[in-house]
Amino acid sequence: MNASKNPPDFAKLRPATRLVHGGAARSQFGETSEAMFLTQGFVYDSAEAAEARFKGEQPGFVYSRFSNPTVAMFEERAALLEGAEAARATASGMAAVTAALMSLLRAGDHVVAARALFGSCLYIVEDWLPRFGVSSTLVDGGDLDQWRAAMRPNTKVCFLESPTNPQLEILDIAEIAKIAHEGGARLVVDNVFATPLLQQPLALGADVVVYSATKHMDGQGRVLGGLILGSRQLLDEHVHNVLRQTGPTLSAFNAWLLLKSLETLPLRVAQQSASAARLADVLAEEGAVARVLYPFRKDHPQEALARRQMRAGGTVLALEMKGGKAAAFRFCNALNIVKISNNLGDAKSLVTHPATTTHQRLAPDVQARMGITPGLLRLSVGLEDVEDLLDDVRAAAKSAGA
Ligand SMILES: *Cc1c(COP(=O)(O)O)cnc(C)c1O
């Protein structure tokens, strides 16, 4: 790698600039765009150099299971965006969640998690961790007393998402971080819905932030990826070796796509959030719609908290149809531009019926407790012209009510 010029002081630069230039490490060719290093390993000038590299006495790359120049550029750029000391990339969001939790926990430990978790995260906490002797308590994340009551002497991790999927409840990250720290536990936040541009959990007191980079970071529905961010010490001491030895590695190709996508993340998130806010307001006026859930709307139960901890309402809204499942299905089927799919943060607007898809594994009483009613829909707003989207959802709402 060529270090001809001093890199800019990214701490003084704003997020959009960090996302275009941060982490870029040029080869001897001086390429403008970041290079893709599709290589399993690296060659050494001498046996002595190989020895020094393996011993960690000489900086450099050894094996792409745990370090690769393109993946390292993505990690560096993501850390600069988050304001984190360090980042590690993984093959998917679930690889990031699993590795983060497994890195911080051992047999005999206890986890407190908000019930409203992404389905696979719930599986990890409820079904998988117990196999390794880690118990858990699920709480209604908005009720701070439940968090306090659930803490035990062996609680080592508190885990939450905010806004939650799919009902967009807002959890108080700063208060929950205090409860975790008073109990000697670390707070892990899955920040997928808010994105690092709209919410920075580390600044609110969280210890670890995890992402599915599959969502807004790629933002174009092409690849899966994940990230774990936190202090350098925490990542070095707990996370790095687990990733190195277990190998949930992000491919250099996917890292390259994600690295390039980060350049446009601020434009996409700003546009998609602005469109989501407009769609939420328009859908709330439709007769077939019982209610709209969107964090920055006046009628959102935690609007004030959302405005305290987020910079905008986000790219996703939820709506509840008056006519239950039948009306929700009519709404989905009448859409022309918005596609029926389960990604989010995508350039394409996507609608999901959680009760029969993403959350169908949950028993009806658990769904009800989480607010996942038969009439609930999640709408991830994309980059189409907002007027076309407004026409599409208005027409679909009219057919759903008919
Ligand atoms: C998608 C998602 C995940 C899992 O990410 P993958 O990249 O699909 O493995 C975890 N948490 C949340 C909130 C998600 O939306």
Side-chain angles (χ1 to χ4, degrees):
M1 296 281 159
N2 210 354
S4 52
K5 261 189 162 181
N6 289 336
D9 180 0
F10 285 109
K12 295 200 179 120
L13 297 170
R14 293 159 186 85
T17 312
R18 296 180 189 190
L19 285 172
V20 174
H21 294 286
R26 298 203 158 80
S27 76
Q28 70 273 29
F29 300 115
E31 63 279 354
T32 307
S33 172
E34 295 76 2
M36 186 177 2
F37 290 92
L38 287 177
T39 180
Q40 151 275 331
F42 305 85
V43 297
Y44 311 95
D45 287 341
S46 65
E48 288 78 7
E51 183 184 24
R53 192 76 63 82
F54 271 77
K55 279 186 175 165
E57 289 164 0
Q58 186 197 85
F61 298 95
V62 173
Y63 191 55
S64 284
R65 186 189 329 114
F66 49 89
S67 60
N68 170 282
T70 309
V71 177
M73 286 191 259
F74 171 57
E75 290 172 337
E76 179 67 25
R77 189 165 287 178
L80 283 165
L81 168 62
E82 193 73 38
E85 285 175 15
R88 289 304 315 265
T90 56
S92 68
M94 283 321 302
V97 169
T98 308
L101 295 179
M102 295 301 271
S103 300
L104 297 173
L105 293 163
R106 60 181 62 229
D109 289 348
H110 174 248
V111 176
V112 181
R115 194 180 313 282
L117 286 180
F118 183 74
S120 299
C121 297
L122 198 60
Y123 168 81
I124 300 291
V125 171
E126 273 200 303
D127 298 308
W128 204 59
L129 288 179
R131 290 203 215 163
F132 304 95
V134 176
S135 58
S136 62
T137 306
L138 296 178
V139 298
D140 295 328
D143 182 345
L144 295 175
D145 288 334
Q146 286 192 31
W147 286 95
R148 287 188 195 100
M151 296 297 291
R152 297 183 194 163
N154 60 337
T155 305
K156 292 290 156 57
V157 167
C158 294
F159 181 41
L160 65 86
E161 286 170 31
S162 181
T164 64
N165 175 27
Q167 63 283 62
L168 304 176
E169 192 189 346
I170 308 295
L171 308 194
D172 193 328
I173 297 174
E175 285 302 316
I176 297 165
K178 272 188 214 150
I179 295 169
H181 295 158
E182 276 161 20
R186 291 191 175 92
L187 177 62
V188 178
V189 175
D190 179 337
N191 202 36
V192 166
F193 271 61
T195 83
L197 290 159
L198 303 186
Q199 173 171 283
Q200 300 208 289
L202 296 176
L204 294 165
D207 301 280
V208 178
V209 182
V210 290
Y211 288 99
S212 166
T214 316
K215 310 295 164 55
H216 302 82
M217 289 193 192
D218 174 58
Q220 289 145 90
R222 303 167 298 185
V223 299
L224 286 95
L227 279 165
I228 306 172
L229 300 109
S231 73
R232 187 168 304 283
Q233 189 191 4
L234 187 143
L235 264 66
D236 282 354
E237 274 177 22
H238 297 276
V239 177
H240 177 74
N241 212 28
V242 170
L243 294 178
R244 176 182 179 126
Q245 312 298 356
T246 66
T249 312
L250 182 65
S251 80
F253 181 80
N254 289 357
W256 179 80
L257 280 169
L258 292 166
L259 180 66
K260 301 306 289 176
S261 316
L262 285 183
E263 297 180 345
T264 56
L265 184 68
L267 296 172
R268 290 185 282 110
V269 169
Q271 177 64 48
Q272 289 172 244
S273 293
S275 294
R278 281 196 64 192
L279 259 68
D281 288 344
V282 163
L283 279 166
E285 299 303 315
E286 285 295 329
V289 176
R291 61 176 185 150
V292 164
L293 291 164
Y294 186 69
F296 272 34
R297 266 179 64 83
K298 290 261 172 297
D299 58 358
H300 190 288
Q302 295 112 3
E303 189 216 354
L305 173 60
R307 288 184 184 273
R308 262 206 316 280
Q309 72 182 25
M310 295 173 72
R311 293 196 186 97
T315 66
V316 181
L317 61 110
L319 61 152
E320 168 106 41
M321 304 303 294
K322 279 180 190 159
K325 178 180 169 184
F329 273 32
R330 279 199 301 277
F331 179 85
C332 292
N333 293 335
L335 290 164
N336 273 322
I337 296 169
V338 180
K339 302 298 173 209
I340 302 169
S341 184
N342 48 320
N343 194 13
L344 60 99
D346 199 285
K348 294 179 171 59
S349 293
L350 303 173
V351 69
T352 309
H353 183 247
T356 54
T357 61
T358 53
H359 291 70
Q360 51 107 358
R361 196 176 68 88
L362 302 177
D365 60 312
V366 179
Q367 285 194 355
R369 183 157 186 190
M370 288 173 67
I372 300 168
T373 58
L376 188 77
L377 292 167
R378 182 186 84 190
L379 182 56
S380 168
V381 180
L383 285 172
E384 301 92 342
D385 189 305
V386 68
E387 297 300 335
D388 289 331
L389 291 176
L390 291 170
D391 290 345
D392 201 32
V393 299
R394 267 194 216 106
K398 301 268 184 293
S399 3

